[in-house]
Amino acid sequence: MNTAEFVALTLSPLLISVLSAVTCALPGNFLVLRRQALIGDAISHVVLPGIVAAFLVTGVVSAWPMLIGAAGAAVVAVVLIEAVRRLGRIEPGAAMGVVFTAMFAAGVLALEQSDTSSVHLDVEHALYGNLESLIWLDATGWSSLWDPVALAGLPPELGRIAAVCLGVAAFTLIFWRPLKISTFDEGFARTLGIPTATLGIALVVVSAVAAVAAFDAVGSIIVIAMFICPPAAARLMTDRLEMQIAWSVGFAILSAVLGFILAGYGPLWLGGSNAVSAAGMIATVSGLVLALAAVFGPCRTRSGASAQG
Amino acid sequence: MLLDALTLQLGYNATLVAIGAALLGVAAGVTGTFLFLRKRALVSDAISHATLPGVGLAFILMVLLGGDGRWLPGLLAGSALTALLGLWLVQWLSRATRLGEDAAIGAVLSVFFGFGIVLLTVIQTIPAGRAAGLESFLLGSTAGMLYSDAVVIAVGGLITLGLVILLRRPMILVAFDPGFAETTGIDTRRTDLLMMTLVLAVTVVGLKIVGLILIVALLIIPPVTARFWSDRSDHVVMIAGGLGGMAGYVGAAISATAPDLPTGPIIVLVAFAGFAASLMLSPGRGVLSSFLRHRRFQAAVHMRQGLLALAQEQPIYEPLTLRLLRRAGLVRADGVPTDGGRARAAKALRDERRWTVLRSMEAHEVAASLYDGLREIETVLTPDQVAEIDRRIGLPKGVKP
């Protein structure tokens, strides 16, 4: 493969998958530490009804209404889960299971009922994205990176996920101290005057935005995998939150790059001719990373202290 | 049309689907109850997503062996194997590492599902896999259900149900009090594993009808709904089974009435409708009944405080109190008590005094502890005892003019 082909066909989906992975891994760290990992699961399931609702309202498949619809659905789901939990006095896991499965079912039903045959909107797409199709056809080589005409042909998903990635990183940096304190010791955080409830909701909303932006590009599987696997693996590597975030970003990038390359070229090396699902492969690689961390990670046990000390 | 479907008049395939879905619903509702009582409902989500790579692997293996890749029992066996692996990984991750069960569930769910998708894209490239239609396992597909498929589902559902009935006592015990269960000689871990295996069996059996993403709903929603209607575990199990069966049957019937009503989502939505209705209307824990209970309590407190205020000739400013007193005919529109009101107020004040005396009597400690400001003292003491207290308080004394 020559450089022109690499820049045109590989660079942009690779960048999108790396950015998606990092965007999800950042809030994922806090979700894992707060034992709210399954919020990511619930959010990624309810994105489908949100997108379908946006489509039914606007009648077109375009990015912004769908992003807003999906984010709205995530917020509705979180509110509903909380309402079911409080009103029915049901444990959170079951409340979550009731809400997100029902919303997902409603989304599938609405999708089947509406006339979406003319547009590219289906359940499979929602589940595993279309990473492979996010290519940059205007590129002719590395020099295209400085060519404004070619740059205009970049897939819009790249710009969106980059913007959201920056936003999530900014959120993490700006609210670093309150996030850290309220994650580890909510009572202490409250005595310091940190609005822990608001911060908790903000974290969920940021996760929802991250999930929706990444979902748009790579489908909901990678989203769940990236929310949970890299932060969980990082959790087994260190006791310090700063280091954990660094590890998780590293793991996320590693999974995205390795998964993407394996999906694209792995079958060719094995003698096959067609690439396999990149989204699925990235999730698989992130799982393997977690498995390695769970077996060899220096801080894998519950005792807290690492082996050295 | 719907009536035809509900009475199984819509043809052979619709009848098969409806019966299969009803059996599946019963098995899922009953099994899910134990999972729900054990507070591990979402483990089923990991199990169900972990079936996908098994389906893919089984298909590839069967094609490589020269058989038909779509043979349902083979696919189900494959899915059971990877689901078991996924279940074991969830247990291992949450036990051997510092990760919580939620992170373990999420990791297993997404990784297995992702790997399953990879296998599906591999299958699309092998010649026999072109029309495999394995995607139908994601959301279920009942369009081309065969008699043999229905038999597999029915037998699987019945075996699961039988096992649940055999194992219900240890599972209930472990769900409510694992420590006590241990002391009675029940192996908690093995019971948990058995319960999870049953959940796994339901998941695998349900793949064909509702698909792996929505089978979780059948395991969670009926038990949660049943919990609203009873506090007794055996009743909850039976109600959950009934609700699950009903959701399966009605859902399948509704979906048979029109071409673009997918079975799985309809079944889930029917179950959810039952849940929403129960959340609102159930007599013990429902939103409506707790609202009414709250209103009754509020009225009782206001009434009592209003009467005490009347007796002590204090002015009442609270509008709700005034409204309640007026409606009961105890005060006039200008806030002056009627004769009835004066009598009730005097009684309320005397009762309050009686309670004060009662609470100072050591012999009546238990009765006194029932004091909450609302309870009528006659419901706690006999007339003799009340008379005894009245003797201590003394009779009303005449006031000199």
Side-chain angles (χ1 to χ4, degrees):
Chain A
M1 174 178 267
N2 57 39
T3 29
E5 250 182 67
F6 173 80
V7 176
L9 298 179
T10 309
L11 182 64
S12 129
L14 185 63
L15 273 180
I16 289 177
S17 51
V18 166
L19 286 171
S20 305
V22 173
T23 309
C24 291
L26 283 176
N29 276 297
F30 296 99
L31 292 182
V32 165
L33 285 171
R34 289 163 170 245
R35 305 260 149 142
Q36 289 180 333
L38 290 171
I39 290 273
D41 183 22
I43 290 174
S44 61
H45 277 89
V46 302
V47 161
L48 178 73
I51 284 182
V52 175
F55 170 75
L56 292 180
V57 171
T58 61
V60 288
V61 176
S62 70
W64 284 110
M66 290 199 168
L67 277 177
I68 294 168
V75 173
V76 167
V78 169
V79 170
L80 272 183
I81 290 170
E82 199 59 15
V84 165
R85 197 173 69 77
R86 295 214 180 140
L87 291 178
R89 276 158 289 164
I90 297 166
E91 53 123 351
M96 216 183 269
V98 170
V99 170
F100 81 72
T101 54
M103 285 181 76
F104 189 82
V108 173
L109 181 63
L111 196 55
E112 297 277 328
Q113 287 279 300
S114 60
D115 179 29
T116 50
S117 50
S118 58
V119 295
H120 186 67
L121 184 65
D122 53 56
V123 177
E124 278 83 19
H125 169 216
L127 287 176
Y128 36 92
N130 56 344
L131 195 50
E132 290 84 350
S133 70
L134 301 175
I135 48 180
W136 185 17
L137 283 177
D138 299 285
T140 50
W142 287 111
S143 57
S144 300
L145 287 178
W146 288 270
D147 178 1
V149 181
L151 281 176
L154 269 174
E157 284 85 355
L158 182 59
R160 271 202 299 273
I161 188 70
V164 173
C165 186
L166 277 180
V168 170
F171 171 82
T172 316
L173 271 181
I174 293 171
F175 295 103
W176 174 256
R177 221 177 92 82
L179 267 178
K180 185 176 175 181
I181 297 175
S182 70
T183 297
F184 286 106
D185 192 340
E186 198 168 346
F188 176 60
R190 232 175 287 134
T191 62
L192 290 183
I194 297 170
T196 49
T198 318
L199 199 62
I201 294 170
L203 182 63
V204 170
V205 171
V206 165
S207 310
V209 171
V212 170
F215 168 89
D216 179 42
V218 298
S220 63
I221 313 164
I222 290 204
V223 171
I224 314 177
M226 285 304 141
F227 264 125
I228 300 174
C229 292
R235 175 96 180 88
L236 305 174
M237 299 301 291
T238 173
D239 281 331
R240 289 173 49 84
L241 184 59
E242 292 82 0
M243 292 308 294
Q244 183 189 321
I245 297 220
W247 275 108
S248 74
V249 170
F251 283 148
I253 294 173
L254 178 73
S255 313
V257 173
L258 206 57
F260 190 83
I261 292 174
L262 279 180
Y265 305 113
L268 302 180
W269 297 334
L270 293 175
S273 55
N274 296 67
V276 297
S277 159
M281 193 52 108
I282 292 173
T284 310
V285 171
S286 73
L288 292 177
V289 169
L290 173 61
L292 287 177
V295 178
F296 300 112
C299 299
R300 61 184 183 277
T301 54
R302 199 157 276 145
S303 56
S306 64
Q308 296 95 326
Chain B
M1 187 69 173
L2 182 58
L3 199 68
D4 283 349
L6 284 175
T7 49
L8 301 178
Q9 303 293 311
L10 274 188
Y12 178 69
N13 188 268
T15 307
L16 268 189
V17 172
I19 294 175
L23 275 172
L24 173 70
V26 172
V30 167
T31 316
T33 306
F34 299 99
L35 198 64
F36 169 57
L37 291 177
R38 191 86 175 94
K39 294 196 176 19
R40 296 178 71 187
L42 282 177
V43 177
S44 61
D45 206 21
I47 294 178
S48 65
H49 283 74
T51 55
L52 189 61
V55 172
L57 285 174
F59 182 89
I60 293 173
L61 193 67
M62 286 193 285
V63 168
L64 286 182
L65 292 175
D68 174 14
R70 269 160 293 175
W71 188 54
L72 189 61
L75 294 178
L76 296 189
S79 66
L81 274 183
T82 48
L84 201 61
L85 179 67
L87 171 62
W88 180 80
L89 277 175
V90 168
Q91 312 258 38
W92 178 77
L93 272 179
S94 50
R95 204 187 58 242
T97 73
R98 54 159 61 158
L99 297 174
E101 189 167 51
D102 62 325
I105 290 172
V108 166
L109 173 161
S110 55
V111 171
F112 274 67
F113 194 72
F115 186 59
I117 296 296
V118 169
L119 288 177
L120 286 192
T121 48
V122 169
I123 287 170
Q124 275 167 4
T125 65
I126 57 179
R130 283 271 171 229
L134 292 185
E135 282 87 0
S136 70
F137 282 102
L138 291 179
L139 292 169
S141 155
T142 50
M145 202 157 101
L146 303 172
Y147 179 69
S148 58
D149 297 350
V151 169
V152 169
I153 293 167
V155 171
L158 284 178
I159 293 177
T160 315
L161 209 55
L163 283 174
V164 168
I165 293 170
L166 279 179
L167 294 169
R168 67 188 188 284
R169 298 219 62 86
M171 288 199 295
I172 288 279
L173 210 51
V174 170
F176 279 105
D177 194 342
F180 176 67
E182 282 282 357
T183 61
T184 57
I186 293 170
D187 187 340
T188 324
R189 266 186 62 195
R190 195 185 312 149
T191 312
D192 268 347
L193 199 67
L194 274 172
M195 177 180 79
M196 289 302 173
T197 315
L198 289 174
V199 169
L200 195 151
V202 170
T203 311
V204 168
V205 169
L207 282 185
K208 181 77 187 166
I209 295 186
V210 292
L212 60 90
I213 299 180
L214 290 176
I215 183 71
V216 186
L218 275 187
L219 284 163
I220 297 180
I221 299 180
V224 172
T225 311
R227 186 67 188 82
F228 281 111
W229 296 94
S230 176
D231 286 334
R232 295 192 40 151
S233 57
D234 44 350
H235 291 179
V236 172
V237 170
M238 278 188 280
I239 297 171
L243 286 170
M246 200 121 76
Y249 188 80
V250 174
I254 293 177
S255 91
T257 57
D260 48 2
L261 294 173
T263 317
I266 295 282
I267 293 177
V268 173
L269 289 176
V270 169
F272 182 77
F275 164 79
S278 304
L279 175 67
M280 289 300 149
L281 302 176
S282 102
R285 295 157 54 107
V287 171
L288 188 64
S289 81
S290 24
F291 175 71
L292 290 178
R293 214 167 29 238
H294 175 76
R295 286 298 294 268
R296 267 200 304 277
F297 177 73
Q298 190 184 29
V301 170
H302 277 268
M303 196 72 169
R304 182 80 177 181
Q305 294 304 318
L307 286 174
L308 289 177
L310 282 185
Q312 288 157 336
E313 291 177 354
Q314 290 158 347
I316 300 172
Y317 298 112
E318 171 60 42
L320 178 61
T321 313
L322 279 175
R323 205 162 59 237
L324 287 168
L325 287 171
R326 212 174 301 144
R327 205 182 301 153
L330 301 179
V331 299
R332 295 204 309 253
D334 57 1
V336 177
T338 60
D339 285 347
R342 252 186 266 278
R344 284 280 300 277
K347 162 85 165 69
L349 191 61
R350 187 160 191 88
D351 275 355
E352 205 59 25
R353 180 86 186 110
R354 285 166 171 168
W355 275 109
T356 313
V357 173
L358 181 68
R359 280 189 292 167
S360 67
M361 294 162 71
E362 275 172 27
H364 291 296
E365 203 173 346
V366 177
S369 70
L370 291 171
Y371 176 77
D372 58 3
L374 292 177
R375 188 182 286 269
E376 301 286 339
I377 198 162
E378 289 86 354
T379 62
V380 185
L381 299 180
T382 62
D384 294 357
Q385 289 168 318
V386 175
E388 161 66 23
I389 289 176
D390 280 348
R391 242 195 317 282
R392 293 191 184 206
I393 299 173
L395 293 169
K397 297 183 182 74
V399 184
K400 290 211 175 100

